Amino acid sequence: MGQPIHQVPAAIRRQLVIRSANFTLYGDLSARINTILRAAVPRVESYSIDECFLDLDGIRDREALVWELRARVERWTGIPNGIGIGSTKTLAKLANHVAKSAQRKPGSYPDAYAGVADLASLSPAVLVDVLAATPVGEVWGVGRRWSDKLQAQGIHTALQLRDAPRGQVLQDFGVTLARTQRELAGLACMGLEDVEPDRQQIMVSRSFGARVYDHDAVREALVSFAVRACEKLRQRNLVASAVGIFASTDAFDREAIQHHPQRAANLPGATSDSRLVAATVAQLSRRFLKQGLAYKKAGVWLMDLARPVDLQPELFGPATAGNERLMEVVDAINRRHGRGAIGLGATGWQSTPHWGMRQEHLSPRFTTAFSDLPVAYC
DNA sequence: TCTGGGGTCCTAGGACCC
DNA sequence: TCTGGGGTCCTAGGACCC
């Protein structure tokens, strides 16, 4: 639940299996689950790395289908999962919370909801009981701040939020929570986004494994992040017109002088060419850091993203800058021979740069690298 | 000593336009 | 001395999500 490992008592830590974050692994398993779901129903929105919305409209025996889907996902991927059904996205998310809680915390909701909870089939009176048993902070779209503010106004449960005066919610919290309120009442305000919208920005940032006093190393890190960001950009067939950088000293070090500089600049044109972005980042990073300070985190973000076809072209020149075909070749080489097989000198080229992440508990890439497959001896 | 890495939307206020 | 009424765009900050 996001608790730093050093806060966990040693006695408990010894009973745990500790893993560093491994987004390649999570992303691959997520894609496999998506494939299973998309094969089963026509409209699926991949909402996050571990959540999907499915349109169950027009499906005759949806209870049977979702129980089968739940079992199939677990059987084919090993990932335990739960399913919630509701007439709006907010109610479906709430149903999912019910399904999970009923399974994990006996007594929180009726046992019948464990694993799969169908709020859409409940009578209004029973739905009221479920909403009354759900703390307002568990509602999708209600975070820490609003949860506190709502409770200060005497609104503690999802039911109380649903039934609160509409004008008051609109005035005190804005249109976002007013929508959530209507969704709780069964009025759909959010559609199923089964076509993923284009990104508006792409960010690559890392906390360093240690404090970095060597500012050349921080600049190398920034250029490396720029190159990685461009790879992501090209994967999505987008170009960027502006780039920003930031760096940060160790915010947890109370003694240290803090410095959180950030800067942005326009690129020489809309581009996804790593060389142009890297050069701009290198420029931006000159006289960027404060002498003598150590930095703990840095990042690069790309802005003003667009599809090349949507750009207003120059009258006498191309719409985009950079060399598209060269980048295609670079990507192809790195795909074939592994990331980092070819790249820019300004990224440093050390096998273990001293700004690297701490990943001493990294799990193997079981599903994406032949070299990481377990070996069976006979 | 150790503390993640990404995203989105909404609103208010200021600059600027006619 | 009097000094409108309508817009847009941009930015910063704050909220939310996983």
Side-chain angles (χ1 to χ4, degrees):
Chain A
M1 300 300 289
Q3 186 180 23
I5 191 65
H6 68 266
Q7 290 176 1
V8 177
I12 294 176
R13 221 181 299 177
R14 276 194 291 274
Q15 302 174 53
L16 301 177
V17 176
I18 292 168
R19 290 296 184 211
S20 306
N22 188 339
F23 284 98
T24 311
L25 178 63
Y26 313 151
D28 183 64
L29 284 165
S30 178
R32 289 170 187 226
I33 292 171
N34 274 317
T35 304
I36 295 170
L37 299 178
R38 284 176 199 280
V41 297
R43 295 188 65 215
V44 175
E45 171 184 345
S46 298
Y47 172 63
S48 72
I49 198 152
D50 68 345
E51 288 173 292
C52 290
F53 288 107
L54 279 56
D55 184 0
L56 300 180
D57 243 15
I59 285 168
R60 241 173 292 138
D61 192 351
R62 63 184 184 215
E63 285 257 359
L65 174 73
V66 298
W67 278 106
E68 163 57 22
L69 267 182
R70 178 167 180 265
R72 192 180 300 166
V73 167
E74 178 152 8
R75 197 162 59 236
W76 291 3
T77 66
I79 303 293
N81 62 96
I83 298 179
I85 303 175
S87 56
T88 65
K89 280 178 154 185
T90 303
L91 285 170
K93 286 273 289 182
L94 199 144
N96 186 268
H97 167 75
V98 170
K100 192 191 271 183
S101 302
Q103 188 160 15
R104 289 206 198 149
K105 292 184 261 178
S108 58
Y109 295 99
D111 292 344
Y113 300 145
V116 172
D118 185 355
L119 295 189
S121 68
L122 299 181
S123 72
V126 180
L127 181 58
V128 158
D129 290 341
V130 172
L131 293 178
T134 304
V136 73
E138 300 292 345
V139 174
W140 188 41
V142 179
R144 261 297 304 273
R145 297 294 173 89
W146 284 358
S147 174
D148 291 351
K149 192 170 161 188
L150 283 164
Q151 295 196 60
Q153 296 187 8
I155 296 169
H156 302 280
T157 68
L159 182 67
Q160 287 171 322
L161 176 58
R162 187 194 77 175
D163 296 337
R166 284 246 306 273
Q168 202 64 42
V169 170
L170 188 61
Q171 194 184 316
D172 292 351
F173 298 88
V175 69
T176 315
L177 193 65
R179 272 203 286 261
T180 295
Q181 189 188 23
R182 303 197 75 174
E183 286 241 324
L184 282 174
L187 293 160
C189 303
M190 289 176 260
L192 191 84
E193 292 180 32
D194 51 348
V195 179
E196 192 188 344
D198 280 334
R199 287 287 178 78
Q200 298 178 28
Q201 60 172 40
I202 285 174
M203 167 139 63
V204 174
S205 75
R206 295 282 182 278
S207 293
F208 302 145
R211 289 172 202 156
V212 178
Y213 286 91
D214 178 358
H215 292 180
D216 287 337
V218 176
R219 280 191 285 272
E220 276 177 14
L222 285 168
V223 174
S224 306
F225 299 161
V227 168
R228 179 72 193 116
C230 288
E231 287 171 5
K232 291 183 174 187
L233 198 60
R234 294 195 294 269
Q235 265 175 21
R236 294 174 178 273
N237 297 313
L238 297 171
V239 290
S241 294
V243 60
I245 62 174
F246 71 89
S248 186
T249 49
D250 188 351
F252 290 99
D253 186 348
R254 294 291 183 80
E255 320 279 279
I257 299 166
Q258 293 295 314
H259 189 218
H260 309 280
Q262 78 175 58
R263 268 181 201 170
N266 288 326
L267 290 163
T271 187
S272 61
D273 190 320
S274 303
R275 300 166 306 161
L276 297 180
V277 178
T280 307
V281 164
Q283 280 249 332
L284 280 173
S285 65
R286 287 207 304 228
R287 286 192 294 279
F288 179 56
L289 307 174
K290 252 186 209 156
Q291 279 242 312
L293 296 190
Y295 291 82
K296 190 63 205 298
K297 184 176 179 170
V300 167
W301 78 100
L302 297 171
M303 295 166 284
D304 295 348
L305 307 189
R307 298 207 165 241
V309 287
D310 294 333
L311 292 171
Q312 173 77 50
E314 299 277 337
L315 189 52
F316 298 113
T320 58
N323 187 334
E324 218 172 288
R325 296 192 58 197
L326 177 64
M327 289 300 119
E328 276 172 25
V329 171
V330 166
D331 287 337
I333 291 172
N334 281 331
R335 255 198 315 276
R336 178 149 177 191
H337 298 287
R339 189 181 290 166
I342 189 168
L344 300 181
T347 59
W349 285 116
Q350 298 164 65
S351 52
T352 49
H354 39 300
W355 48 266
M357 290 190 294
R358 302 180 63 228
Q359 296 189 301
E360 59 263 47
H361 299 296
L362 197 63
S363 44
R365 298 164 293 171
F366 288 121
T367 62
T368 53
F370 284 113
S371 58
D372 286 9
L373 283 177
V375 178
Y377 294 95
C378 356

